[in-house]
Amino acid sequence: MLNSLELFDQGLLIKINSLHNEWLDLIMWKSSLTIFFLPFPMLILYLYFKRYKLRNTIALILCCGISITLTDVSTNRVKHLVKRYRPTHHVEIGPKLHLVNEYVGGKYGFFSSHASNTYGIVTLLYFATTWIYRKRRVLFFLIPLPVIYSRMYLGVHYPSDVFVGALNGFLMGYFTFLLYRKYFFKSPLINE
């Protein structure tokens, strides 16, 4: 069973990585950079500031930092415990992959820090922005998809790496939201 899941994971990665061309290489390279994701949380934090003023916004920014710390620490711990080679470092798969800018990433890849970090922030912001209709907030979870897809496209993560990374990010983001609500958030009615 595990062997067939691993083969499926490898096959899907090779399929995603093989769908490349010059302009898509550039788009995926840029999508993988942190700067690609930053406008979204900055916009949400600005809207949050307009609604809840400075104290709560600073607290939410602090919690974004906590979320990134939690996702980074957990990701790196698991990577060094599991020691699953990235596809680009895998002896059989590596040579089959199309590399962009000769980028191979670090040695271990399970699970994806990019997926974990972006989903951690998105989850925290999803739960913190309750004034936005839920149907619209659900769209928040689409924002990290180009980042996550780019990691597979570049050949540095298997689909399972990004799936588990996104799940970890969701859990850490929700946990950070609970901390925010319990220890940091001050009701706007008290502020005003």
Side-chain angles (χ1 to χ4, degrees), residues 14-39:
I14 289 170
K15 183 70 174 165
I16 290 169
N17 178 260
S18 71
L19 303 171
H20 61 83
N21 61 46
E22 200 171 307
W23 65 269
L24 209 48
D25 284 358
L26 178 64
I27 291 171
M28 289 299 127
W29 180 259
K30 298 287 185 191
S31 295
S32 199
L33 302 173
T34 307
I35 195 92
F36 177 82
F37 176 73
L38 282 179

Side-chain angles (χ1 to χ4, degrees), residues 142-173:
L142 299 177
I143 302 297
L145 291 181
V147 176
I148 288 173
Y149 183 82
S150 74
R151 304 307 288 164
M152 295 180 290
Y153 178 94
L154 296 173
V156 293
H157 281 295
Y158 294 104
S160 60
D161 295 343
V162 296
F163 176 76
V164 173
L167 181 61
N168 181 67
F170 180 85
L171 295 172
M172 295 300 162

Side-chain angles (χ1 to χ4, degrees), residues 2-192:
L2 278 177
N3 194 30
S4 61
L5 286 175
E6 187 177 353
L7 290 174
F8 174 77
D9 209 20
Q10 292 172 356
L12 184 55
L13 169 74
I14 289 170
K15 183 70 174 165
I16 290 169
N17 178 260
S18 71
L19 303 171
H20 61 83
N21 61 46
E22 200 171 307
W23 65 269
L24 209 48
D25 284 358
L26 178 64
I27 291 171
M28 289 299 127
W29 180 259
K30 298 287 185 191
S31 295
S32 199
L33 302 173
T34 307
I35 195 92
F36 177 82
F37 176 73
L38 282 179
F40 171 73
M42 290 172 71
L43 172 65
I44 298 300
L45 289 168
Y46 172 74
L47 295 173
Y48 202 85
F49 169 73
K50 296 291 270 179
R51 184 168 185 89
Y52 291 115
K53 306 301 178 220
L54 189 60
R55 183 193 185 283
N56 285 327
T57 305
I58 289 172
L60 187 58
I61 291 169
L62 175 67
C63 286
C64 285
I66 292 171
S67 178
I68 289 171
T69 301
L70 289 173
T71 55
D72 257 2
V73 168
S74 59
T75 299
N76 287 317
R77 285 276 175 157
V78 172
K79 279 181 183 174
H80 289 87
L81 283 173
V82 173
K83 296 184 178 181
R84 179 184 186 192
Y85 287 112
R86 286 182 189 265
T88 49
H89 293 279
H90 191 281
V91 217
E92 292 174 23
I93 306 245
K96 298 177 185 176
L97 297 174
H98 166 74
L99 299 181
V100 177
N101 298 331
E102 300 304 313
Y103 177 65
V104 294
K107 192 174 186 180
Y108 305 122
F110 183 79
F111 48 90
S112 168
S113 298
H114 280 73
S116 193
N117 291 339
T118 54
Y119 267 95
I121 296 297
V122 162
T123 302
L124 172 60
L125 295 177
Y126 170 84
F127 286 107
T129 55
T130 53
W131 78 88
I132 299 173
Y133 293 114
R134 179 174 279 150
K135 287 180 182 178
R136 290 187 181 146
R137 278 188 296 145
V138 167
L139 298 176
F140 286 12
F141 293 103
L142 299 177
I143 302 297
L145 291 181
V147 176
I148 288 173
Y149 183 82
S150 74
R151 304 307 288 164
M152 295 180 290
Y153 178 94
L154 296 173
V156 293
H157 281 295
Y158 294 104
S160 60
D161 295 343
V162 296
F163 176 76
V164 173
L167 181 61
N168 181 67
F170 180 85
L171 295 172
M172 295 300 162
Y174 184 67
F175 175 73
T176 307
F177 168 73
L178 295 177
L179 290 177
Y180 174 69
R181 274 296 183 188
K182 185 167 184 173
Y183 298 108
F184 295 103
F185 184 79
K186 187 170 182 172
S187 172
L189 298 175
I190 297 170
N191 277 348
E192 297 172 348

